[in-house]
Structure formats: C-alpha cells, structure tokens
Amino acid sequence: MKRRLKKTLKWTSVSGLVLVLVGAISFVVLYNMIEVPDPNADFQTQTTYVYYDDGKTELGRYAQQNRNSIPLKEMPGTIKEAVVAAENQSFWTDKGIDPKGILRAAFSNASGNARQGASTITQQYVKILYLSQERSYTRKVKEAIMSLKLQRQQSKEEILEGYLNTIYFGRGAYGIDAAAKTFFGVPAKKLTLRQSAVLASVINNPTRFDPANGKSNRRDLKGRYDYVLSSMAKTGAISANKADRAARRLPNFPEIKSEQTYAGQKGHMLELIKKELVRLGFDEQQINGGGLRVTTTLDQQAMRDAEEGVNEARPADRPELHVASASVEPGTGALRSFYGGQDYLKSQINWAVAGGQPGSTFKAFAVAAGIKQGFSLKDTFEGDSPFYYESGVKGPRNEGVGPDGQGNDYGTVSLLTATEESINTAFADLTESMDNGPEAILDMSQKMGIPRWKRNAGGLDHLHNSPGLEANMGIALGSATVSPINMANGYATIANGGEAAPVYVIEKVEDQDGKQLYRHKVHTERVLDEDVAADVSYSLQQVVTTGTGANAQSLGRPAAGKTGTATNGDDEVSSSWFVGYTPQMSTAVMYVRGRGNESLEGYLEPFYGATYPTQTWTAIMSRLMDGLEVEDFPEPVFVDGEAPDEGHAPYTPPPPPPKTKKPETKKPEPKPTKTEEPEKPKPSKTTPPPTEDPSTSDSPSNPIPTGPSEPTDSTTTKPKSSPKPASDGG
C-alpha cells in the first residue's frame, strides 16, 4: 500500500512538474510571439460609418472627431484618483494584471455563473487599443501577455494617461476631455470632485449609468457614484467627511448643445438608426467606437423629397407647428424617407416617431375588419348625429354643429359613403355591429403594422409602441398615439394587396473587415384576402376621387388615402393627418402643435386633413413618383359575406308604379262601377332625404365637387351645416 502511494505521489509530482514546464514554455513562446501593435494605426479604424440604401453614400458617422487627447498633468487629481479607486485600486503597485482577480473570475465562469472579467486598468487599455471586444479565453491570454509587455514599455503615468484619453464614457465621448465637455460643458481640467465621481462611475456601464436615459438610470448612477466616493475615501484620496458631503447629491447636468454634424434632419436620422441598432443587440460602445459599417433603408433623394415637400406646402411663420412625414415601401416594409420636424439642433423630438392621434385615418383598419367579418361596402349604417349605443350610452357625434347642435346628420349611409365622407357615427355603428368589434379592429390594426401599446414604456419613441391603443368602442376614431412611420406601414399593407411586412430601417451591419454581423430578411404575412384588400383600397380611392381627400388628385395618377383630425381634452382639434399611397409607396403626413396635443384652431387655418396635410402629402409624393411608371389598383370586388349583425342591408329603391294603358278615343270602354288604382309603394324606412351636393367634411372652406354616383351605392347624404369639428373631424 505504501509503495503504491509513493508511486502515485511520484507520478503526480512528475505530471505537475511537466505541466508547469509546459505552461512556462508556452508562456515564454507566446510572450515572444505576441507583439504590441501601433495603437494609432488600429484605433483610427474604430469610427462607425452609416450609409444610405445604396451602401456607398455616407449618411453620417458615430464618434467622429469626438476625442481630444490631453496630457496627464492637465487632468485634475480628482478624476485620476476617482478612476483608480473605481476601476483598479492596486493600479500603482500591480504588474498590469491581477492574478487573484483572474482566478476568481475563472472559478466563477467555470461554475456556470455569468461570465466575469478581471481586468486591471492596464488590461482595459490593452483591450481597447489592440484587441476586439469578444469574450474568450484566447483573448484574455493575449490581453494578459500584452499587459505585462506594456507594463515594461510604459510607466504607470503613461498607461493612465493613455487609458483616460481612450476609454468610452457614453454619449459618443471617448477620452476624459470629450466626456467632460459632453456631460458638463467644461474641459477636463475644470472638473469638480462630484463631476469626476460621475465620470468615473459611467465607465463601468455607459448606457446604464447615463442619467439622460431615464429615472431608473439616474438611480443606478447614484448607487455607483456613492461607491466611487466611498472607494476614494478608502484609498485615502479624500477624507471620509468630504466623501459624505459629496454623496449628498449628484452634480447638475447642464443641457449640452449637439454637434453640428447632427444639424437638420441628419440628427433625427442618426438617432433613429442608433436606437434600432441597440434594439438589434449592438451596444453603445460597438456603435460609437466599434468600426461598424451600417447600411440603412433610407434613400438620400427621398429624404430630400420629404424635406422639400414639407417646406413647399407648410404655412410660414408658425414656429410652434410640427410637421412630420414618413414613406414606407409596400411589400418590403423599408422606410425610404421621413421628415422628423425642425432642425435637430433646435429640438431632438422626431415627430415621425413620436406621432400623435391619427383620427379618422384609423378608420381604414375598421373597414378592413368589417369586410373581413362579412360586411360589404354597400351595407348601410347610422349616419345621424349623435350616435347612441344599444346600451343607451351616448357615443360620438359627427363634425359640424348640425340642426340640433350635435353634429351633422347624414341619414342612413353605406360603408363606402361613410368612408368617403368620414362619418363618425357610421363607424361607431359598424364597431358595435361586429363580433367583438373593438377587439377585431385592434387585432386588424396590429396585423397590418400598428404596434401594440407597451404600457410600461415611456418617452417619445413610438416606433414600436402605440400608447393608448386599446379595444374600446371609439377605437376606429383614432384617439391613441401612433407614429406616422407606422401609419404609413399600415396603409402599405393595403397597397400590397393585404400582405404585411414589418417596417425596418437597418438593411445590414458589417464590421470594419467586411464580416457581416446582421442582415435584414424581408418577411411578409397575408393578413387580408386579396379581394378584401381590393375593396378597402377602393373605399380609400373614393376618398380621393369624390371624398375628403380630393386635393390628392393633383398627383396625377391613381392614389388612395384617408384624411383625419383628432381633438384634445378640450374638444379642440389638435392633430391633422393624411395617409395615402400609390402601388409603389405609402406616405403619412401629420400636423401637430407645441407639445403635440395643443389646439390647431386659430393657429392653423384651415386645420382639416383635407388641406395642409393632403397638400403636403401631394408635394412629397409628386417628387417620389417622378419618373416612375403609373400603376393602377386592382378592381373592387364588393365582397359580401355573412354579416354578424342584421339591419345593415344595402338600400334598395322602391319599384316604380306599373304603367296604365291610355283609353282609346274612338271606342271608349263603358265606365265601370268602381275603379281600382294601382297601389302606391310605401316609402322605405331607409329612403334618404333629397340629394344635395355635400361639401367636404374635412375642409368646409374648400368644397369638393361631387362626382357621379357610385352604381353600387345609392345612398345619399344630408348637407353639412358648420365647419366646427366633433371628436374626430375626419
């Protein structure tokens, strides 16, 4: 037994010695093989370039020239001490690596826990300057060896200076001087203790600890900030009393003006693209300093067309007026252009993303849901105002004052006429008459491209969120907040014959060596039968041909669309829209004021969607369509299924009375004792009032000439009496 034990110990010792020798030899070989490259040559390639849809024309860059290296002596002692206390307290005494930290991280990683790092300031500096951001043991070995070599080549002061001039602080700022100016508007040499503690904190996680990203981020920053101050007291950099006083509050964060590279619409584009890159899984450091090559869906000429169209059509001298547009390609979902509002340097709100209440433009989704359930464009609905639900609850009213001050009356109208003239009460009747009408319309809108309401999401980024969009009886009137980009995409589904494609703006992402990191794949889903889509499209074509969207006729080619207005809590019109399309492009235009919910009445006159929004849409689309072939829409089918509710049959005029023979004069018949006259037809309950040419419900100051009656819709309407809008002026 003793002999066997001695033999085992002998071989174990020999094996251990061999492993140590192999490890030592491997380390020596690697140490001699791995060279420290020139940091300047490698680091110049880290700028991320963004391109238009051709993949060649540069749209912009991230982190371009946002670096200003300064000598260590110009950096205040507070920032040097704060960073060392926060990131590597043994910096001044270690050899560039932390063996204990490496073992601790290796044990944690081997145990299946979240992967941990064990990087000293020297290792972080090496990783930034010479290596990739990948997490692998190979990279860690290279990092350790290069750190040891760098430790022999440079002094601690040189390493700290290089580190503080290259580390990423967030907001596109690389290096302490750029960070000081970006966060506090001062050069690094003027940083206070509190400001230094903040910048030392954000190094750990620039996105999470940026207070500009929200209240939770500010809370997280405060926790890290307190840790940095207590660590400074622990290392003797400051007294405990001074740390306690500084920890009472964060420093003030002044509003910093954006760089000129973000001027005009360029800033709105770059911010939208950056947010989409983050959503796709790229972090801020990769975006702002990872040397990515990003190709977008945005077309440079189309972006110019949008801006020129808005400037041509919008009224002058309206500083509080915000105009937004978005153009989406049917069949792909590619966002080809948008106009986000005023110069990005004056306001960072992108109204093409922030959106507003779309009003009657949302009725297109109700038409689609209604026809899918079995109603037809010929079926009739209540057009008088106000509307009362079966429960007795008062519903919406129509635009105008009407004879009783409750909005204009239209009598019984077909779904086609209700769409053409944007009759609110008819859509309330349609919603109530459907099976689970509100839910059906909500479901249809989401399938066609309108995002769900993410109740926990805040801010004004509504590209993937529609605040307030829920299943209620007034859903068809568009009181939720929807972005013009998503409204354009929803209508693009109709233009594409009922096949929906998610909207997107990032075409592909490559690294600096051309390796593809991401590529969008177009995916379409049929959400409407082609016949149903053709009928919905026909109703929207009639809006342009004979309804409230007549100003779009000047496009000079087949077009379809819908006007819309919505009101705020004071029953004042606060948003005005036109959303329309040709077979090649779908475009939405929105007008709002101030913070997005302030009254347009008395400020933008006329405020109806039939005027400025439609004219703006036409100005943009005429440019986008220039040189493209004129394409027609499919013919309507007038689908007529099994409607879920009775009482909506198309109006049928009574038969004419039978003709009577004239008596012959030469041979008169003997006079009968009792004559029987043919029975006169009884008037139908749905017989409309005498026909009069209605003026547009969306622009009473610009009456739209009525065209010939649609042969499948014999219902007429009552004239309007006042331009004052209701809850949705259409």
Side-chain angles (χ1 to χ4, degrees):
M1 177 66 76
K2 290 183 178 180
R3 175 183 284 179
R4 183 177 299 175
L5 182 59
K6 287 181 179 180
K7 189 175 182 180
T8 302
L9 290 173
K10 178 182 177 182
W11 282 109
T12 301
S13 301
V14 171
S15 298
L17 182 59
V18 170
L19 289 174
V20 170
L21 288 173
V22 170
I25 293 170
S26 299
F27 179 82
V28 171
V29 171
L30 289 172
Y31 188 88
N32 290 319
M33 287 178 60
I34 297 175
E35 295 293 335
V36 178
D38 179 2
N40 294 323
D42 284 357
F43 208 71
Q44 291 300 315
T45 64
Q46 298 304 303
T47 298
T48 288
Y49 294 85
V50 182
Y51 302 100
Y52 287 102
D53 62 336
D54 62 3
K56 299 177 182 178
T57 306
E58 187 177 320
L59 185 158
R61 304 178 185 183
Y62 295 116
Q64 182 184 11
Q65 298 179 349
N66 196 10
R67 180 193 310 280
N68 179 38
S69 296
I70 60 175
L72 191 67
K73 63 182 180 181
E74 289 186 16
M75 301 178 192
T78 53
I79 189 62
K80 291 179 279 190
E81 293 157 352
V83 169
V84 169
E87 294 295 316
N88 181 192
Q89 294 180 16
S90 64
F91 171 72
W92 295 107
T93 58
D94 63 37
K95 299 299 182 181
I97 61 174
D98 181 6
K100 291 181 180 179
I102 292 173
L103 290 173
R104 183 175 61 251
F107 180 78
S108 177
N109 297 339
S111 300
N113 299 323
R115 187 172 292 274
Q116 295 184 7
S119 297
T120 62
I121 284 177
T122 307
Q123 286 175 272
Q124 291 183 51
Y125 182 43
V126 165
K127 181 175 67 174
I128 295 167
L129 240 59
Y130 310 120
L131 300 172
S132 68
Q133 300 298 312
E134 67 171 328
R135 291 190 172 188
S136 68
Y137 294 111
T138 301
R139 196 219 71 196
K140 292 296 289 184
V141 169
K142 288 183 178 179
E143 179 184 297
I145 291 174
M146 290 174 66
S147 297
L148 289 171
K149 281 197 166 186
L150 191 66
Q151 180 78 15
R152 294 173 64 89
Q153 295 175 5
Q154 297 183 15
S155 68
K156 287 288 187 181
E157 289 75 10
E158 289 174 319
I159 291 173
L160 184 60
E161 178 183 308
Y163 175 80
L164 287 172
N165 276 320
T166 55
I167 193 69
Y168 181 61
F169 288 86
R171 302 189 186 182
Y174 285 81
I176 188 59
D177 199 52
K181 293 173 182 175
T182 299
F183 280 81
F184 300 110
V186 298
K189 62 184 178 181
K190 292 187 177 181
L191 286 171
T192 65
L193 171 61
R194 283 192 172 98
Q195 292 169 341
S196 295
V198 165
L199 295 180
S201 299
V202 299
I203 289 174
N204 183 264
N205 191 322
T207 301
R208 179 184 174 190
F209 296 132
D210 187 344
N213 290 337
K215 291 182 179 179
S216 62
N217 300 78
R218 191 180 182 91
R219 285 195 299 269
D220 291 343
L221 170 63
K222 184 60 168 63
R224 181 71 179 175
Y225 172 81
D226 291 345
Y227 165 76
V228 171
L229 289 170
S230 64
S231 296
M232 292 179 74
K234 178 182 175 182
T235 59
I238 58 175
S239 66
N241 186 43
K242 196 170 186 179
D244 290 340
R245 288 201 308 271
R248 291 173 186 171
R249 64 174 178 83
L250 291 168
N252 295 325
F253 294 91
E255 185 177 346
I256 306 299
K257 292 183 179 180
S258 302
E259 295 294 327
Q260 290 298 314
T261 51
Y262 275 60
Q265 294 301 298
K266 192 71 68 69
H268 294 304
M269 287 189 276
L270 289 172
E271 280 300 303
L272 172 61
I273 293 162
K274 178 183 284 187
K275 288 178 180 178
E276 284 301 285
L277 286 169
V278 170
R279 188 180 67 85
L280 292 173
F282 296 93
D283 61 39
E284 275 211 36
Q285 189 159 343
Q286 286 176 292
I287 296 167
N288 290 304
L292 303 178
R293 304 294 185 264
V294 182
T295 301
T296 71
T297 62
L298 298 174
D299 180 283
Q300 185 179 32
Q301 184 57 51
M303 287 295 298
R304 291 197 192 109
D305 291 340
E307 185 168 6
E308 290 173 3
V310 168
N311 290 335
E312 175 188 307
R314 67 170 295 163
D317 302 322
R318 299 290 190 277
E320 296 179 28
L321 190 65
H322 307 299
V323 184
S325 76
S327 297
V328 174
E329 184 177 76
T332 67
L335 178 65
R336 293 304 181 194
S337 76
F338 70 88
Y339 182 80
Q342 64 268 52
D343 189 333
Y344 180 84
L345 300 183
K346 295 180 180 178
S347 172
Q348 287 74 55
I349 297 176
N350 182 347
W351 290 100
V353 173
Q357 296 172 285
S360 287
T361 62
F362 212 80
K363 289 174 180 173
F365 307 118
V367 175
I371 296 176
K372 186 175 182 179
Q373 281 205 8
F375 287 110
S376 78
L377 290 177
K378 301 177 186 178
D379 284 343
T380 55
F381 299 89
E382 179 58 62
D384 285 343
S385 182
F387 180 80
Y388 287 89
Y389 295 107
E390 289 184 1
S391 63
V393 175
K394 184 179 179 181
R397 63 183 178 87
N398 294 325
E399 60 83 27
V401 177
D404 56 359
Q406 294 295 318
N408 291 333
D409 291 335
Y410 293 85
T412 303
V413 295
S414 71
L415 182 56
L416 183 61
T417 297
T419 306
E420 292 174 13
E421 299 298 328
S422 201
I423 301 172
N424 293 337
T425 56
F427 277 89
D429 191 8
L430 169 66
T431 303
E432 186 175 48
S433 301
M434 294 168 60
D435 285 337
N436 299 316
E439 291 81 3
I441 296 171
L442 176 64
D443 182 63
M444 178 57 67
S445 69
Q446 290 170 350
K447 287 180 178 178
M448 292 175 68
I450 307 301
R452 293 179 177 274
W453 179 13
K454 298 177 181 176
R455 296 174 185 267
N456 295 326
L460 293 174
D461 184 357
H462 298 148
L463 187 59
H464 303 284
N465 183 29
S466 302
L469 182 58
E470 56 186 345
N472 57 50
M473 296 304 292
I475 187 173
L477 304 186
S479 61
T481 298
V482 185
S483 74
I485 292 175
N486 290 322
M487 286 301 298
N489 192 42
Y491 275 50
T493 298
I494 308 170
N496 194 41
E499 287 193 62
V503 68
Y504 72 104
V505 70
I506 306 296
E507 195 68 66
K508 66 177 180 178
V509 181
E510 297 175 338
D511 66 13
Q512 61 196 37
D513 297 320
K515 179 182 177 182
Q516 187 167 287
L517 305 177
Y518 169 82
R519 188 175 190 90
H520 179 81
K521 292 182 179 179
V522 173
H523 170 73
T524 60
E525 179 183 358
R526 177 159 295 285
V527 298
L528 284 175
D529 290 341
E530 286 189 76
D531 290 350
V532 174
D535 281 0
V536 176
S537 188
Y538 178 71
S539 71
L540 299 177
Q541 292 168 57
Q542 295 305 105
V543 171
V544 173
T545 304
T546 62
T548 58
N551 274 325
Q553 293 175 15
S554 60
L555 183 64
R557 62 172 65 211
K562 184 73 187 75
T563 56
T565 55
T567 58
N568 57 24
D570 297 324
D571 199 27
E572 298 170 329
V573 172
S574 57
S575 68
S576 187
W577 293 66
F578 185 79
V579 186
Y581 56 89
T582 64
Q584 298 103 317
M585 191 66 70
S586 176
T587 296
V589 172
M590 178 190 77
Y591 276 66
V592 293
R593 179 187 176 192
R595 296 182 179 179
N597 201 34
E598 297 176 31
S599 177
L600 292 174
E601 298 181 37
Y603 190 78
L604 178 70
E605 294 291 346
F607 48 70
Y608 292 97
T611 52
Y612 283 114
T614 306
Q615 292 162 2
T616 304
W617 181 90
T618 306
I620 294 171
M621 286 291 283
S622 63
R623 289 169 167 81
L624 293 176
M625 294 295 102
D626 186 30
L628 297 183
E629 182 180 351
V630 175
E631 295 184 16
D632 292 316
F633 294 110
E635 291 294 322
V637 180
F638 294 99
V639 175
D640 192 5
E642 292 293 328
D645 188 46
E646 297 180 354
H648 300 282
Y651 166 70
T652 303
K659 294 181 180 180
T660 56
K661 268 189 175 182
K662 290 183 180 181
E664 295 182 11
T665 53
K666 289 184 179 181
K667 296 180 180 181
E669 294 289 329
K671 189 175 183 181
T673 56
K674 185 178 180 181
T675 58
E676 293 184 1
E677 295 181 0
E679 183 181 356
K680 293 182 179 179
K682 295 180 181 179
S684 168
K685 290 183 181 180
T686 58
T687 303
T691 304
E692 295 183 34
D693 289 343
S695 58
T696 170
S697 66
D698 219 338
S699 181
S701 62
N702 292 314
I704 297 173
T706 56
S709 298
E710 165 59 41
T712 60
D713 175 26
S714 58
T715 307
T716 57
T717 62
K718 291 184 180 180
K720 302 173 178 60
S721 58
S722 170
K724 173 65 181 174
S727 59
D728 181 273

